Amino acid sequence: MTIREKTEEQEFAVFSKYAAFSRNSRGREREEEQCDIRTVYQRDRDRILHSKSFRRLKQKTQVFLIPEGDHYRTRLTHTLEVSQLSRTIAKALRLNEDLADAIALGHDLGHTPFGHAGERALNAVCPYGFAHFEQSVRVVELLEKKGEGLNLTWEVRDGIRNHRTSGTPHTLEGQIVRYCDKIAYINHDIDDAERAGILREEDIPEESRMVMGDTTGKRLNTLIHDVVQNSEGKGAILMSDRMESAMKYLRAFMFQHVYTNHVAKREEDKAVRMIQDLYYFYNDQPALLPEEYQYLMKEKGEPKERVVCDYIAGMTDSYSIHTYKELFVPKSWQG
């Protein structure tokens, strides 16, 4: 018996009956030989961690566009926080921690430069539309490894696709990530907003602070405990009505006072115009796209407009600015 097989046996002995057991995975689109050490979800997690798309998250905006300071969240640190929260809940509920981890690490791989501003910019100009959760699936199914994709299991791809608010993940591990994404970004965005001087702890609605706590740490602790206590022994991941209502209220407060705040978004219009100018340029001159994107159009039959979005969405904040300067700003004007 291999180490992997022993691990799979241990899952049946330890996990809740509601867990997604590694041996019962629906599998991959392309069959491949099993690893003798790692389960299928451990392999998926490792593939995501070693992907180029994952590495690029460190230079992609979370909320504050190119902030002046070393401690603001990026798309990568957000992803790591979602991963940690998801693993904590999965372990407490005796669910498959490796599956939850893989979904969490991959859930934002398709995000554009400049966060949701870049996403809106591409969605407005691409005839096929653009949504980061769909792009994240496209990254792992097609764009990574020069058109081969990462060949992840069905469960991981399902969790990535359905991590949005309106999504319905088929596994409890995917449902955990769906909750943890919101828990993470609401709380770390409060922390960043306080750091930027656009929000104080006292500004947070009293009803939210009374229910969840008056510090980031207390709120995270309260929310995680609530999910665990309301989900234990059940076939769904749940939050109490009181806590879910308080979190939705706080999220609405953040949209009003932070996500649309002029300090956080003062450069957003420039970012949108830049992303759209890049789209129009490469849509008019697709021959200037890198070779791997030419391959997608010529060999895979992918639509030009979609491939242009693939290229731009994969850029980091800094690389998109560099590319824009190279294409549109005369050399003598560049400082």
Side-chain angles (χ1 to χ4, degrees), residues 54-172:
F54 184 80
R55 294 195 294 276
R56 289 196 296 265
L57 294 177
K58 67 181 178 181
Q59 293 185 26
K60 291 195 176 190
T61 291
Q62 176 62 25
V63 171
F64 293 85
L65 274 63
I66 315 181
E68 296 178 2
D70 294 332
H71 301 115
Y72 290 91
R73 270 70 171 192
T74 64
R75 191 60 59 178
L76 177 61
T77 54
H78 162 72
T79 294
L80 294 175
E81 291 184 35
V82 175
S83 168
Q84 184 57 50
L85 296 178
S86 299
R87 288 168 55 195
T88 297
I89 294 177
K91 192 165 189 174
L93 295 175
R94 294 186 295 116
L95 299 176
N96 197 318
E97 188 178 342
D98 294 324
L99 174 56
D101 198 18
I103 295 170
L105 292 174
H107 83 281
D108 269 355
L109 291 179
H111 247 298
T112 60
F114 305 110
H116 289 287
E119 181 177 18
R120 290 193 298 271
L122 289 180
N123 186 54
V125 295
C126 180
Y128 299 99
F130 186 92
H132 80 275
F133 59 89
E134 293 174 347
Q135 188 69 13
S136 295
V137 177
R138 186 170 168 83
V139 166
V140 299
E141 289 186 341
L142 176 68
L143 300 181
E144 277 290 336
K145 299 185 71 174
K146 299 181 178 179
E148 293 183 11
L150 299 179
N151 198 29
L152 304 181
T153 56
W154 181 89
E155 291 79 9
V156 173
R157 290 181 284 122
D158 171 75
I160 291 173
R161 177 178 286 109
N162 288 295
H163 78 271
R164 66 196 188 282
T165 300
S166 60
T168 52
H170 288 76
T171 64
L172 297 198

Side-chain angles (χ1 to χ4, degrees), residues 163-265:
H163 78 271
R164 66 196 188 282
T165 300
S166 60
T168 52
H170 288 76
T171 64
L172 297 198
E173 291 81 1
Q175 292 176 33
I176 287 173
V177 175
R178 179 177 169 273
Y179 265 115
C180 287
D181 183 32
K182 296 169 190 59
I183 292 172
Y185 76 65
I186 290 171
N187 285 284
H188 65 50
D189 292 348
I190 290 173
D191 189 43
D192 281 354
E194 291 177 355
R195 182 171 291 106
I198 63 176
L199 189 69
R200 300 171 303 165
E201 181 62 41
E202 309 88 79
D203 298 326
I204 297 172
E206 182 67 21
E207 48 266 54
S208 295
R209 298 171 70 201
M210 289 289 291
V211 173
M212 291 185 283
D214 57 3
T215 68
T216 297
K218 289 179 182 178
R219 282 187 287 271
L220 288 172
N221 187 62
T222 299
L223 288 164
I224 295 303
H225 275 78
D226 187 85
V227 172
V228 170
Q229 290 165 3
N230 285 277
S231 305
E232 191 170 14
K234 297 176 182 176
I237 301 303
L238 304 168
M239 185 178 280
S240 67
D241 290 342
R242 180 169 180 256
M243 202 62 62
E244 186 141 26
S245 177
M247 190 170 76
K248 286 180 179 178
Y249 186 81
L250 184 55
R251 183 172 180 265
F253 170 84
M254 290 295 289
F255 268 96
Q256 182 178 357
H257 295 277
V258 176
Y259 300 141
T260 56
N261 184 279
H262 72 281
V263 176
K265 300 301 179 183

